Amino acid sequence: MSVALSVWSVRVHGGERRWRRWEAEFTCPCCGEGWARDELQEALSMLPPKAAAALRVQVERLDQVLLGRTHHDPAADPELAWWHRRC
């Protein structure tokens, strides 16, 4: 979980003005876009309430950064998680 949080933070903050989908990929091409955020979402649903609340604060801060640096992709599959529908 700490690796996923670290990877998501690096990807969200990125080095340029706009976040790119490929930046959300982990080091392995089979992990796909948003791997770290997917892992964090799973952890949030599985952790005990107190631990989930603490993690949720950190994840929501990163999510706000991502939302501010990207926009909704209307061509994206609506079945995907919201972070997969940003560009």
Side-chain angles (χ1 to χ4, degrees):
M1 178 175 53
S2 63
V3 170
L5 187 60
S6 177
V7 168
W8 188 241
S9 178
V10 168
R11 299 310 186 239
V12 165
H13 289 289
E16 296 184 16
R17 170 69 185 102
R18 305 232 16 122
W19 181 83
R20 294 179 193 11
R21 284 182 184 230
W22 56 265
E23 286 183 308
E25 293 182 29
F26 197 51
T27 56
C28 170
C30 67
C31 296
E33 297 174 358
W35 166 87
R37 184 58 177 83
D38 292 339
E39 289 293 312
L40 292 169
Q41 190 64 32
E42 185 175 342
L44 287 169
S45 69
M46 296 176 70
L47 286 170
K50 189 173 181 179
L55 178 60
R56 187 170 288 108
V57 167
Q58 295 177 52
V59 171
E60 286 177 356
R61 284 184 190 141
L62 293 171
D63 289 350
Q64 289 304 309
V65 172
L66 178 67
L67 288 167
R69 296 182 72 183
T70 62
H71 63 275
H72 174 71
D73 179 359
D77 182 351
E79 298 292 318
L80 295 174
W82 69 264
W83 54 89
H84 289 287
R85 299 187 317 255
R86 306 293 294 181
C87 59

